Amino acid sequence: MNKTLMANDLREKIIANPNVLLEDADVMRALVGANDDNMGVNIVDLRSIAMERLEARFDRLEDTHRNVIAAAYDNLAGTNQVHRAILRMLEADTLLAFLTALTGDVADILRVDTIRLVLESETGEDFADLGPAVVVMPEGFVDGYVTLGRNVPVRPVTLRATQKISSALYNGQGKDILSEACLHLDLGPDHLPGMLVMGAEDAAQFTPQQGTDLLTFFAGVFERAMRRWLTADR
């Protein structure tokens, strides 16, 4: 029985670059539709390769889809958390209630182990009556703490592992706090800078690779509310 042989030059081109066939939809459709009894071993191999490639592409697409859904869910959950925390914080009718909510319900909603408000003062007497939520530090402390004394710009939000000097901010919890978020606060032209520090016992809760948009928004709301409290008769 005579068989039609493929021209040598065409055969060599296909062997040299099989993707020409694998990526041609019409050619692959013809190969897949061919009668198995009439197909040679080489064609069967091509079909197998094509199916493996399609399966791999499908798996990648499925993984991407799953990751996009997971990221969207996490972002929505994080947004809801921050919104709930802000609403709870703004319910306070006195500065002391505002700060008590911050270290209590707000910390619970944000799922952090501790929150402290750091305020700079030349004498320390300005904020002596604000309770355990507030840590009073000398002028220049906030920027030095955020940058660790380096000559770099102060970012609005810094996520990192805790430092050796962090224990002074966490009221004895320092050895248990393994990661932190430092939110730099602009408290207005008549006041020194401030900082919110959120501490977590989970070392992976705050890392430099995470996004900071939601915490930046939270800090913006907090500093505006705090400016009003600082200028009011508390």
Side-chain angles (χ1 to χ4, degrees), residues 134-198:
V134 175
V135 181
V136 181
M137 290 294 180
E139 184 176 354
F141 175 85
V142 168
D143 288 359
Y145 185 83
V146 172
T147 64
L148 298 178
R150 297 171 296 175
N151 186 23
V152 295
V154 178
R155 291 177 294 179
V157 176
T158 299
L159 308 180
R160 66 190 183 192
T162 52
Q163 311 299 310
K164 290 181 179 180
I165 58 175
S166 300
S167 58
L169 305 182
Y170 295 117
N171 289 1
Q173 293 178 270
K175 61 182 179 60
D176 300 318
I177 302 300
L178 300 180
S179 64
E180 65 182 3
C182 305
L183 285 57
H184 193 273
L185 304 175
D186 178 1
L187 300 178
D190 298 326
H191 297 279
L192 297 170
M195 176 176 63
L196 275 177
V197 285
M198 301 180 180

Side-chain angles (χ1 to χ4, degrees), residues 59-196:
D59 288 343
R60 289 197 299 271
L61 180 62
E62 190 175 46
D63 288 343
T64 300
H65 177 72
R66 188 180 297 112
N67 291 337
V68 169
I69 294 297
Y73 177 80
D74 288 344
N75 187 61
L76 179 60
T79 300
N80 288 336
Q81 270 185 307
V82 168
H83 286 174
R84 287 172 53 215
I86 288 171
L87 290 175
R88 175 63 187 90
M89 186 171 60
L90 296 181
E91 290 176 358
D93 54 4
T94 66
L95 177 56
L96 188 58
F98 177 78
L99 296 174
T100 300
L102 178 70
T103 58
D105 291 345
V106 172
D108 291 340
I109 293 170
L110 295 177
R111 297 179 184 175
V112 297
D113 295 292
T114 183
I115 299 180
R116 291 290 181 271
L117 170 61
V118 180
L119 296 175
E120 294 184 356
S121 172
E122 296 178 356
T123 64
E125 298 177 357
D126 306 357
F127 311 112
D129 58 343
L130 296 184
V134 175
V135 181
V136 181
M137 290 294 180
E139 184 176 354
F141 175 85
V142 168
D143 288 359
Y145 185 83
V146 172
T147 64
L148 298 178
R150 297 171 296 175
N151 186 23
V152 295
V154 178
R155 291 177 294 179
V157 176
T158 299
L159 308 180
R160 66 190 183 192
T162 52
Q163 311 299 310
K164 290 181 179 180
I165 58 175
S166 300
S167 58
L169 305 182
Y170 295 117
N171 289 1
Q173 293 178 270
K175 61 182 179 60
D176 300 318
I177 302 300
L178 300 180
S179 64
E180 65 182 3
C182 305
L183 285 57
H184 193 273
L185 304 175
D186 178 1
L187 300 178
D190 298 326
H191 297 279
L192 297 170
M195 176 176 63
L196 275 177

Side-chain angles (χ1 to χ4, degrees), residues 2-43:
N2 293 329
K3 293 184 178 180
T4 302
L5 298 178
M6 183 183 298
N8 287 336
D9 59 339
L10 178 58
R11 182 172 179 274
E12 290 174 359
K13 288 180 180 179
I14 292 175
I15 292 175
N17 187 12
N19 287 339
V20 172
L21 292 182
L22 296 175
E23 295 179 357
D24 189 304
D26 293 333
V27 171
M28 292 309 303
R29 194 177 297 114
L31 290 174
V32 171
N35 186 291
D36 287 344
D37 293 336
N38 294 327
M39 291 191 301
V41 174
N42 290 336
I43 294 179

